[in-house]
Amino acid sequence: MLIKTLKSLFYRDLNRLKTEIASYAQEENIWIVDHGIANSGGNLCLHLIGNLQTYIGAEIGKTGYIRNREAEFTLRDIPRSVLLDGIDNTISVVDLALDKLNQDDLAAIYPLLVFEEKTTTEYLLVHLTTHLTYHLGQINYHRRLLDL
């Protein structure tokens, strides 16, 4: 049951991410950093893609994805269409990877050390849903504040 719930939440919120990125009235405003805001909506989008492609895609789905976390926060002016394509790809990767899991997999220790201590795969996946929604809220706020 949890796998179905996680799939539903990732699908819902990655589609909300697409909506947020598509909703910027001015494409260049996706990349604004102003008013003490450290990360642009575009960089947060790249970060979410990299995060899910790494922890779900590469590790669970065995996609071969190689993360460049620094680039997630330093790249600028990536076209909106590229961001949207990246989100679409991430939706597919997450869905396919989660299809590979069963209840025993959720209870198993996640193979990478992500936090100070090892966690179960279940814990990490729940964390990833909250991480996604946290940054989704930041992107929404960024868009409403700076997309004038």
Side-chain angles (χ1 to χ4, degrees):
M1 183 68 177
L2 180 61
I3 295 168
K4 182 178 177 181
T5 300
L6 289 167
K7 285 179 66 167
S8 174
L9 292 172
F10 281 119
Y11 182 81
R12 179 195 72 187
D13 290 339
L14 284 166
N15 276 292
R16 286 180 176 169
L17 177 59
K18 281 176 52 177
T19 298
E20 285 297 331
I21 296 301
S23 294
Y24 279 85
Q26 304 292 323
E27 184 171 351
E28 63 271 11
N29 290 349
I30 294 170
W31 300 99
I32 291 176
V33 178
D34 198 9
H35 303 289
I37 295 173
N39 296 304
S40 70
N43 290 116
L44 290 170
C45 179
L46 291 172
H47 173 60
L48 288 169
I49 290 168
N51 184 270
L52 295 174
Q53 289 280 358
T54 298
Y55 295 120
I56 297 177
E59 195 57 42
I60 295 171
K62 305 300 182 202
T63 62
Y65 180 83
I66 298 173
R67 186 176 193 182
N68 182 348
R69 191 173 190 282
E70 182 179 334
E72 295 167 14
F73 294 100
T74 57
L75 290 173
R76 298 280 184 265
D77 302 321
I78 307 298
R80 181 190 336 239
S81 61
V82 172
L83 295 175
L84 295 173
D85 288 346
I87 298 166
D88 281 334
N89 179 261
T90 302
I91 291 169
S92 296
V93 164
V94 167
D95 192 53
L96 291 171
L98 293 181
D99 278 344
K100 294 180 177 187
L101 296 177
N102 60 44
Q103 289 304 119
D104 291 337
D105 296 324
L106 291 177
I109 298 297
Y110 186 77
L112 298 178
L113 180 63
V114 180
F115 306 110
E116 291 181 15
E117 297 178 6
K118 288 273 193 176
T119 65
T120 63
T121 299
E122 175 182 67
Y123 181 92
L124 183 71
L125 290 171
V126 171
H127 165 78
L128 292 174
T129 64
T130 62
H131 177 261
L132 171 58
T133 57
Y134 175 75
H135 288 311
L136 181 59
Q138 289 179 314
I139 293 167
N140 173 269
Y141 191 72
H142 178 272
R143 179 183 56 77
R144 290 183 294 118
L145 183 64
L146 299 175
D147 189 34
L148 308 174

